[in-house]
Amino acid sequence: MTLNQLEYFCAVCRYHSITRAANELYVSQPTISVAIRNLENEFHIRLFNHGKNQLALTPEGEAFYKKADQLLHYSQDLYSEFSLTARGNESIRLGIPPILSTVFFPEIMLAFQEKTHIPLQLFEYGSVRACKMVESEELDLAIANLDFYNVDKFHYQVMKTDSHVYCVSKTNPLAKRDSITFEMLADQPSILFNTDSVQNRTIMSRFHAAEITPNIIMYSSQISTARKYILEDIAGAFFYSSVPLSCDDIIKIPIEPEITSRIGIIWKKGVYVRDSVTRFIEFAKTYQL
């Protein structure tokens, strides 16, 4: 059981719909369905009755929802109460997409804390959702793909420019190619980041521009999951070129024409920025990736 699974389950309970919950949380419907199924398997209970155009909690589901909702509120209170360290430094609430965390963390976090002793409170969200949470001041900062349409609503600092690649098993026929086009991927089973990522929107816009309906079999933020599908030659996956896949049997193929993205840190305009947050921003500007 994870807090994310409980959050997805409680959202479905509130909205009485997996579709609405997925839209509100900026994740795919299969992600929520899998989370609920995993909870049911773990606790050996049935949480929902599925009727025609209707989703209703079972009696066990109602009892589970009350406890899950209490646990989520308790976890939020726990974060709030213990966000100060013995030194009196208020923690920085930092959002970061799971995929980008493999590029930026833990090195930057450890280096910053070693230099300043200011704690970082990390939240894993896709770039789209993380930026909305910065705007609503639920997060102080976010490391994100900066290529979203309203980025100028925020202050931001570019930390890295990265290119997109398509990854396949070395046994896949595409592995022999020096580059790949979207036309070549029309029928290729593929994996994309979750729907709350800017990368997802960037790739999908390229498919649409080429008038291609892609064969997307999974939306995921977990490298280990995508890597397993790639190695079994079930699907290929779009990644940033700098994401470490830690496997010699996976081939990264450059996309033609090249797609690059700016990766950086964003914070809200027009609000007071605490000293600890300012120190992280200044540190990030000089940190060498």
Side-chain angles (χ1 to χ4, degrees), residues 50-66:
H50 299 262
K52 186 177 181 181
N53 299 323
Q54 189 176 15
L55 195 65
L57 283 167
T58 63
E60 289 176 316
E62 290 181 4
F64 192 87
Y65 171 67
K66 292 178 182 178

Side-chain angles (χ1 to χ4, degrees), residues 67-211:
K67 293 292 186 182
D69 191 55
Q70 290 174 359
L71 184 56
L72 288 175
H73 280 95
Y74 180 79
S75 68
Q76 293 167 0
D77 291 342
L78 190 67
Y79 279 129
S80 298
E81 184 175 351
F82 293 97
S83 63
L84 300 180
T85 66
R87 291 174 173 265
N89 291 322
E90 188 175 354
S91 62
I92 300 170
R93 301 167 300 169
L94 177 66
I96 183 166
I99 297 296
L100 291 182
S101 68
T102 64
V103 179
F104 287 86
F105 285 88
E107 289 82 3
I108 188 173
M109 178 181 71
L110 295 175
F112 176 73
Q113 291 184 323
E114 181 179 351
K115 182 176 181 178
T116 66
H117 302 288
I118 297 173
L120 291 171
Q121 186 180 346
L122 303 181
F123 298 85
E124 282 195 336
Y125 297 114
S127 294
V128 175
R129 188 178 180 192
C131 292
K132 285 184 176 292
M133 293 180 74
V134 169
E135 188 174 15
S136 63
E137 299 181 46
E138 297 172 78
L139 296 174
D140 299 306
L141 301 164
I143 291 178
N145 184 320
L146 300 178
D147 295 333
F148 55 96
Y149 74 96
N150 60 346
V151 67
D152 289 334
K153 290 175 59 178
F154 302 90
H155 293 295
Y156 62 89
Q157 172 67 37
V158 178
M159 299 176 65
K160 181 182 181 66
T161 298
D162 206 348
S163 59
H164 296 262
V165 293
Y166 190 76
C167 300
V168 297
S169 164
K170 69 177 184 180
T171 61
N172 189 293
L174 296 174
K176 299 177 181 180
R177 302 200 63 88
D178 295 328
S179 63
I180 200 165
T181 67
F182 282 91
E183 287 76 11
M184 297 175 187
L185 299 176
D187 299 317
Q188 170 73 19
S190 298
I191 299 171
L192 275 179
F193 293 175
N194 275 339
T195 53
D196 64 342
S197 74
V198 174
Q199 187 252 26
N200 177 299
R201 299 183 179 190
T202 299
I203 297 298
M204 290 302 295
S205 68
R206 291 298 183 95
F207 273 120
H208 292 156
E211 299 183 345

